[in-house]
């Protein structure tokens, strides 16, 4: 069933599937002591620099909880946008696994700024209060908006002046880079990101992410946090091997560009109808808009997609690397019928 519900619903790129099949070759030492994990590690260092230390995990929530454990202690606090994935969509896992207070900040476009963060940086050294230690941002944000390199750097500079860390959730990092026309390194480690949850599941991979540390003191204990968090796969080669084709020949970028361009074309189609109002900028592969009730019901009869805010009839469409021209054409025809 074709849908615009989520890029999590998309298929696996044939080159990635082929890599998994090829990794299913005879026996290999478990827990990452295999040639595929070594090759994937080398690829990640190629992309992000020699300082990058990747630790492969099962999924996004696992990546975020492991990363945040590595940069905090239970008496710390983690700052994030109110709409942040770690606050809304991870069932309290980051708070439970880190023991930290999660401090949320209103951000209408899903993006934090130094001006929004700074008022929360207080009570350092006061034992009655959780000590601010990390800021979580997601690239792309939960509202489909994208941090520029300069915006990431401004946040990182502020945090480092307070001896704090910046964690980036890069579940859709590829889509951000496609929009910004920059490398993944430029908007992460070069911009001051300390630790990254690096995902590809939404962009053509089957499963798995990598927690990538850019600082030695963070890397030091990451293997233990991964193990304690039940995120160390015994047959790790099936996770790590996917990153090899994903990073070779810029497959990650090709896939992201396809997803983004499909979203832009779909947005242009939606903009033709004055009854539809976009609630966020269209920068990535996610579209947020309000739509009247009757057309909404008719669309829901044919397509599966999520309502973002049912009180105001705000819907979210998400395109994927494997969204086709026909998928968009079919939606355009449907819109013509719905709005008659």
């Amino acid at each position: 069933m074709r849908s615009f519900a989520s890029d999590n619903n998309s298929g696996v790129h044939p080159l990635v599937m082929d890599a998994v099949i090829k990794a299913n070759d005879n026996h290999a030492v478990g827990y990452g002591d295999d040639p595929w994990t070594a090759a994937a590690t080398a690829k990640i260092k190629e992309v992000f620099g020699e300082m990058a230390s990747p630790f492969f995990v099962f999924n996004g929530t696992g990546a975020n909880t492991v990363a945040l454990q590595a940069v905090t202690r239970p008496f710390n606090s983690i700052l994030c946008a109110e709409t942040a994935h770690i606050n809304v969509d991870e069932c309290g896992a980051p708070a439970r696994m880190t023991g930290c207070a999660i401090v949320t900040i209103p951000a209408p476009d899903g993006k934090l700024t130094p001006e929004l963060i700074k008022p929360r940086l207080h009570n350092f050294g006061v034992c009655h209060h959780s000590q601010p230690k990390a800021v979580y941002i997601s690239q792309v944000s939960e509202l489909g908006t994208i941090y520029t390199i300069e915006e990431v750097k401004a946040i990182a500079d502020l945090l480092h002046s307070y001896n704090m860390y910046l964690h980036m959730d890069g579940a859709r990092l590829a889509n951000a880079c496609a929009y910004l026309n920059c490398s993944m390194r430029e908007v992460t480690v070069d911009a001051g990101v300390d630790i990254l949850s690096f995902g590809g599941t939404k962009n053509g991979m089957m499963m798995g992410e990598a927690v990538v540390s850019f600082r030695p003191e963070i890397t030091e204990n990451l293997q233990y946090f991964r193990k304690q968090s039940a995120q160390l796969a015994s047959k790790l080669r099936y996770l790590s091997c996917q990153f090899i084709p994903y990073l070779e020949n810029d497959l990650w970028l090709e896939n992201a560009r396809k997803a983004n361009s499909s979203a832009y074309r779909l947005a242009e189609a939606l903009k033709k109808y004055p009854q539809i109002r976009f609630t966020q900028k269209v920068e990535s592969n996610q579209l947020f808009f309000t739509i009247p009730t009757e057309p909404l019901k008719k669309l829901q009869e044919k397509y599966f997609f999520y309502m973002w805010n049912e009180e105001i009839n705000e819907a979210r469409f998400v395109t994927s690397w494997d969204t086709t021209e026909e998928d968009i054409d079919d939606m355009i025809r449907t819109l013509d019928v719905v709005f008659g």
Side-chain angles (χ1 to χ4, degrees), residues 178-223:
Y179 174 80
L180 295 171
N181 194 28
C182 72
S183 69
M184 289 191 282
R185 176 170 176 166
E186 287 176 296
V187 77
T188 57
V189 59
D190 287 353
V193 172
D194 300 297
I195 192 165
L196 170 71
S197 297
F198 179 36
T201 307
K202 301 177 190 297
N203 194 39
M205 280 176 43
M206 180 188 295
M207 56 184 174
E209 298 212 1
V211 177
V212 186
S213 167
F214 302 121
R215 299 181 64 153
E217 75 273 19
I218 297 174
T219 304
E220 183 181 1
N221 292 317
L222 260 170
Q223 61 177 325

Side-chain angles (χ1 to χ4, degrees), residues 1 7 18 63 74 82-83 99 101 107 116 120 135 147 161 176 200 206 210 215 234 261 265 275 278 290 304 323 337:
M1 171 181 145
D7 38 15
D18 188 50
E82 276 184 342
T83 52
L116 291 173
R120 272 73 177 182
V135 166
Y147 288 91
S161 72
M206 180 188 295
R215 299 181 64 153
S234 57
S261 62
R265 185 174 174 225
Q275 303 97 317
F278 281 84
T290 57
F304 172 49
T323 297
V337 172

